[in-house]
Amino acid sequence: METAAGDDCPAAPRGLVCVTGGSGFIGSWLVRRLLDRGYAVRATVKNIQDERETQHLEALDGAASRLRLLQMDLLDPASVRAAVEGARGVFHLTSPVTLQLPQDPEKELLEPAVKGTLNVLRAARDSGVGRVVLKSSKAAMVPNPDWPANKIIDDDSWADVEILRKLKLWYGVSKTLAEKAAWDFAAREEGLQLVVINPGMVLGPLLTPSVNASLHWFLKLLQGQKMDMDLYMGCVDVRDVAHSLIALYESPSAQGRHLCMESVERLVDFSNHVADLYPELPVQRVKEDKQGWVVRARDPSKKLIDLGIRFTPFNVTIRDTVDCFRSKGLI
């Protein structure tokens, strides 16, 4: 099922790329930036009949002539192949996430994340796609009990899956297993270029009509709810994530994993900073710092900075997110 423009568009000098999860928080910004840069984009959605997934994308500049939306099922190889075939590059963003504790983590999160990622990579290989940019997460990097004390977390750190399972942090399990499966697959396939981005908590203004998981968490914080997020390490602006994804696609020298955060900080830093910025809101400060393992750092995403990414300052990201919430009547 599909809507909108054709793929072979003469007004798309940069060619055709596929974005899985194109209707999501990050995906929508990525589609917008790709259209701005002259790409033709094939973006996948869960339900092509749902205007909450399609309307904001179809309203983007350039969408009428260079955007095609396809309904895709990650667990259906034929559906994935239809989305990927003919594209020069693939941005694989879509991954299952739940706001509530899943009843069946294996079926709801782990299997779709791993099998879906492998289906995308197989389709890319079979279609001769030159480069796949995978959006993983810092959730695939921590917790890591073997990481040296006093060393800043970097691209070499992998999350301990067994600890994540014990803590029932199923999203972290799914991202870690999916990324490892992707690297294992890419290592066996000559000619398939894989590069990965690992963002921290993603904030910023939304193009979508509803909030995603990270924005939902931040909204609850602004509304006065006490938030426990022991594995918090830092945040990043959604617009910087979109720019970084494109930089990784357009830079042949970019290889491996790429931590994507404005700074490494602790939850106490984050909550206190937001409380200082918005004293009129009932933001609860963190009373006890339990994150001694987090080594604070400025500019931790050096590989992306070397590619030309200039990260949005924390205050600007928070301000633009709050302004967006207010414009939508959420606070």
Side-chain angles (χ1 to χ4, degrees), residues 54-66:
T54 62
Q55 202 167 52
H56 66 284
L57 294 176
E58 292 170 341
L60 295 173
D61 288 346
S65 59
R66 288 183 283 112

Side-chain angles (χ1 to χ4, degrees), residues 34-190:
L34 288 167
L35 290 172
D36 288 346
R37 289 181 67 80
Y39 286 94
V41 181
R42 189 187 289 149
T44 74
V45 300
K46 287 183 180 178
N47 182 1
I48 203 77
Q49 304 299 329
D50 187 348
E51 289 189 347
R52 291 172 300 176
E53 287 199 69
T54 62
Q55 202 167 52
H56 66 284
L57 294 176
E58 292 170 341
L60 295 173
D61 288 346
S65 59
R66 288 183 283 112
L67 175 64
R68 173 175 288 181
L69 303 180
L70 267 69
Q71 182 170 302
M72 186 188 77
D73 179 356
L74 264 180
L75 295 181
D76 177 7
S79 171
V80 176
R81 196 178 308 115
V84 170
E85 194 169 23
R88 292 184 185 177
V90 173
F91 296 88
H92 180 40
L93 275 58
T94 188
S95 185
V97 61
T98 59
L99 291 174
Q100 307 298 327
L101 196 65
Q103 293 184 339
D104 186 345
E106 193 70 40
K107 186 174 181 180
E108 294 176 47
L109 289 178
L110 309 189
E111 181 180 341
V114 175
K115 289 189 175 180
T117 296
L118 291 176
N119 282 339
V120 169
L121 291 175
R122 289 190 188 100
R125 174 200 62 193
D126 295 344
S127 301
V129 169
R131 194 165 182 84
V132 176
V133 184
L134 170 68
K135 187 196 80 67
S136 183
S137 170
K138 70 86 194 169
M141 293 180 161
V142 292
N144 182 352
D146 297 326
W147 193 253
N150 301 318
K151 182 180 179 183
I152 300 166
I153 292 290
D154 63 29
D155 304 331
D156 292 328
S157 180
W158 281 95
D160 187 307
V161 171
E162 293 312 309
I163 292 177
L164 289 171
R165 287 182 182 274
K166 287 177 183 176
L167 296 173
K168 297 184 178 181
L169 297 173
W170 299 111
Y171 177 74
V173 176
S174 73
K175 298 305 287 186
T176 305
L177 295 180
E179 189 187 340
K180 285 190 172 183
W183 284 119
D184 289 344
F185 182 88
R188 299 192 302 268
E189 299 295 331
E190 263 187 60

